[in-house]
Amino acid sequence: MSYIAMNRFKIAEGREADFEEVWRSRESRLKELKGFREFRLLKGPEREGHTLYSSHVLWDSKADFEAWTKSEQFRASHRNAGDSRSKGAILGHPEFEGFETILQES
């Protein structure tokens, strides 16, 4: 089965383009790791004062995801988190959620 790692972000109203640009211009190192399948950045509903975003990464297994979190690629990818381009855009801390696949249909 597979594992989905998700982070939810609350982005300040009017700062959506800044947040999206940080993701577009980043150097992704995910493809270098065993078990990586797919990445998506999702834009959700607008709420009072913010827009909800979620990053989804599909892995072959939870062990593959955990290996990513301990890798040099992970450290390099997160080295500039919170840089000047996104400063003030993210409200609070990202909320992590991890899910193991129980049932899948294609």
Side-chain angles (χ1 to χ4, degrees):
M1 287 300 198
S2 58
Y3 185 77
I4 299 174
M6 303 187 312
N7 277 296
R8 289 174 180 246
F9 302 88
K10 291 180 180 175
I11 304 305
E13 190 175 342
R15 297 295 306 276
E16 295 87 354
D18 295 331
F19 180 73
E20 291 173 19
E21 182 54 31
V22 167
W23 285 91
R24 281 190 183 93
S25 63
R26 83 194 196 292
E27 179 186 356
S28 176
R29 308 275 307 268
L30 290 166
K31 293 177 185 174
E32 297 174 15
L33 283 110
K34 175 186 164 295
F36 168 74
R37 289 194 200 170
E38 179 180 82
F39 170 85
R40 291 183 186 208
L41 180 63
L42 307 173
K43 184 176 182 179
E46 293 179 11
R47 302 282 166 86
E48 217 173 283
H50 70 274
T51 300
L52 185 63
Y53 283 80
S54 182
S55 65
H56 285 213
V57 185
L58 182 61
W59 295 94
D60 284 340
S61 69
K62 184 176 182 180
D64 290 331
F65 163 73
E66 290 172 344
W68 153 248
T69 66
K70 297 171 181 146
S71 71
E72 173 54 35
Q73 291 90 337
F74 178 88
R75 286 187 292 283
S77 293
H78 292 83
R79 194 165 285 133
N80 296 321
D83 71 7
S84 61
R85 295 177 298 167
S86 63
K87 194 141 189 107
I90 301 172
L91 304 175
H93 293 285
E95 183 181 331
F96 174 79
E97 298 170 318
F99 295 90
E100 292 185 77
T101 301
I102 303 302
L103 181 65
Q104 180 176 339
E105 294 183 28
S106 296

